[in-house]
Amino acid sequence: MTYIAKDDYFDPDKIDAAVIGIASELNAHDSGRHKHQKAQLLYAPSGCMSIRTDSTQSLLPPTMAAWIPPNVLHSVTIRNTVAYRSIYFDPNKFKNLPDELIIMNISPLLKEVIERISYWPWDMHWSNQKNITAVFFEEFQHASRENLTLVEPSDPRFQPYIDQWNIGKSKPPLMKKFALEIGITEKTIGRIFMKETGMSYQDWRQQWRLHRSIELLTNGRNVNETADELDFSSPSAFIEFFKKYLRKTPNQYL
């Protein structure tokens, strides 16, 4: 069994295999906070996911995948339909697996290898898996690392707002408005964000908008709709914003 329906129960830690791959189609899914004893490679060849740990949120468009080490608490959120791929590696059977969360670019070859592993039978003998697995780790080692990761402030006063922003119920306002909403001064907001995220609130808000724009575009919104939803003055202003951070227009990026 390799294809998992949305409501199927699946626990990779209860399957005795060096490498386990699954494929599924998921829509509007929230995994909740959990962890695995196995390492995990998370990828979606179509659609967009976001992964959260205790202090970070990382975006996974179809060009990127996430490596999640064993026993790292995380949650995965999907707002629209994605082609979900997940591969689990038993740390007792592989040496020197990475012990940090990694967001990486996916090469065409690595994409094909992930597809192959995601659909192979769980009871396939290791002798038939080892060559493909070796290609996976070869491509994995050479994959360029990306930084579509946003550090979230830990101050509990901000958490209810961040939760609403992350599920799409609202979006980070300008600092003056946010200060009025939360009931503290702009100076205090700026100091906390700089201390806990390494960024000013204004820069953090721009990074959040960049992440959200990629998610919207990946899920089928056009440039005009994305610019409007994220409160840009015009589509051209949004395109210039996008180019500033990613050195490509939205259409080139996609």
Side-chain angles (χ1 to χ4, degrees):
M1 183 178 182
T2 55
Y3 184 84
I4 303 292
K6 180 178 180 180
D7 297 324
D8 286 345
Y9 175 76
F10 172 73
D11 184 351
D13 294 331
K14 293 186 177 180
I15 300 172
D16 184 17
V19 184
I20 303 165
I22 64 170
S24 186
E25 299 291 326
L26 297 178
N27 182 38
H29 174 74
D30 186 342
S31 71
R33 286 169 58 82
H34 66 287
K35 60 183 178 179
H36 310 289
Q37 295 173 23
K38 292 181 168 69
Q40 181 183 13
L41 188 285
L42 185 63
Y43 174 61
S46 66
C48 190
M49 301 183 286
S50 62
I51 176 172
R52 293 182 72 184
T53 62
D54 285 337
S55 60
T56 65
Q57 178 178 235
S58 301
L59 193 67
L60 297 180
T63 57
M64 298 179 191
W67 173 268
I68 308 168
N71 299 309
V72 170
L73 273 172
H74 64 281
S75 63
V76 178
T77 303
I78 298 167
R79 301 184 208 265
N80 291 286
T81 302
V82 303
Y84 178 90
R85 306 290 184 262
S86 189
I87 302 173
Y88 301 88
F89 299 88
D90 188 339
N92 296 315
K93 298 177 182 178
F94 294 95
K95 295 182 179 180
N96 302 318
L97 293 177
D99 59 1
E100 62 181 357
L101 180 72
I102 298 172
I103 308 299
M104 73 195 81
N105 284 311
I106 294 296
S107 68
L109 177 55
L110 185 53
K111 176 181 178 179
E112 293 304 318
V113 171
I114 291 171
E115 286 293 292
R116 175 77 176 273
I117 297 175
S118 295
Y119 280 96
W120 70 22
W122 294 343
D123 59 356
M124 179 187 290
H125 194 273
W126 171 244
S127 62
N128 297 322
Q129 296 180 340
K130 62 181 181 180
N131 289 340
I132 294 295
T133 302
V135 174
F136 170 87
F137 280 112
E138 177 70 19
E139 288 294 298
F140 176 89
Q141 292 297 329
H142 290 93
S144 60
R145 276 33 175 175
E146 275 289 347
N147 190 26
L148 285 179
T149 297
L150 195 61
V151 177
E152 296 181 347
S154 58
D155 191 297
R157 290 172 291 184
F158 297 148
Q159 199 58 55
Y161 297 90
I162 292 173
D163 288 342
Q164 291 296 302
W165 300 341
N166 286 340
I167 63 175
K169 295 292 186 181
S170 60
K171 47 187 175 287
L174 293 171
M175 180 182 274
K176 184 176 181 179
K177 182 178 180 182
F178 188 42
L180 291 173
E181 288 180 359
I182 201 170
I184 57 179
T185 66
E186 294 180 44
K187 184 177 180 180
T188 299
I189 292 174
R191 177 177 55 79
I192 294 172
F193 266 80
M194 184 59 70
K195 178 182 178 182
E196 297 185 353
T197 73
M199 304 172 72
S200 69
Y201 175 77
Q202 292 91 333
D203 287 344
W204 190 94
R205 176 176 178 267
Q206 293 293 69
Q207 285 291 320
W208 186 95
R209 295 170 91 196
L210 177 66
H211 286 205
R212 181 66 175 136
S213 72
I214 295 171
E215 185 176 11
L216 291 169
L217 292 164
T218 302
N219 287 325
R221 301 289 184 89
N222 62 37
V223 167
N224 290 356
E225 292 168 333
T226 302
D228 182 64
E229 180 156 338
L230 295 177
D231 299 331
F232 285 90
S233 59
S234 67
S236 60
F238 166 62
I239 292 171
E240 287 304 311
F241 162 84
F242 199 94
K243 286 171 63 178
K244 174 184 176 182
Y245 287 97
L246 295 176
R247 299 178 298 281
K248 297 178 181 179
T249 68
N251 288 336
Q252 290 170 338
Y253 181 83
L254 293 174

